[in-house]
Amino acid sequence: IVSWMSLSFGFKVSDKTKVQFDGHETVVIGDFGSASHKLEIGIRKFGIDKIYFKFPSEHTLVGTNTECEVMAYMGSKDVIYTF
């Protein structure tokens, strides 16, 4: 089975941001552009409104923990994705 999809980003500099830190993660809230997700059934567009910097990382890379990780949250009217 061959599946066709692609993910493209249109990041931009946000004029108004809010930064929060809780000792483990820094969250930057703002309007950072959009992402388009092409699937076999069509295209979905998501706004990117939060970027998280986590210290230390919560996930592993090839089984190894890293000092930090960056996660961008993007959402539409009915779906929220994290990458």
Side-chain angles (χ1 to χ4, degrees):
I1 297 174
V2 176
S3 179
W4 176 84
M5 71 174 202
S6 68
L7 189 59
S8 59
F9 300 96
F11 288 108
K12 69 178 187 178
V13 175
S14 181
D15 293 336
K16 297 178 183 177
T17 58
K18 180 179 178 184
V19 178
Q20 301 170 340
F21 179 68
D22 69 3
H24 170 64
E25 64 187 15
T26 300
V27 182
V28 184
I29 301 168
D31 177 11
F32 301 105
S34 63
S36 294
H37 192 191
K38 285 186 184 178
L39 299 168
E40 293 172 352
I41 58 173
I43 299 173
R44 296 191 80 158
K45 189 169 184 175
F46 302 90
I48 301 169
D49 60 359
K50 292 180 187 171
I51 299 176
Y52 285 72
F53 298 88
K54 299 188 180 231
F55 305 94
S57 66
E58 293 181 349
H59 302 91
T60 60
L61 182 62
V62 192
T64 304
N65 287 59
T66 58
E67 293 181 18
C68 71
E69 71 181 50
V70 177
M71 298 174 71
Y73 282 70
M74 53 188 182
S76 67
K77 293 177 185 173
D78 58 346
V79 179
I80 296 175
Y81 281 112
T82 306
F83 65 92

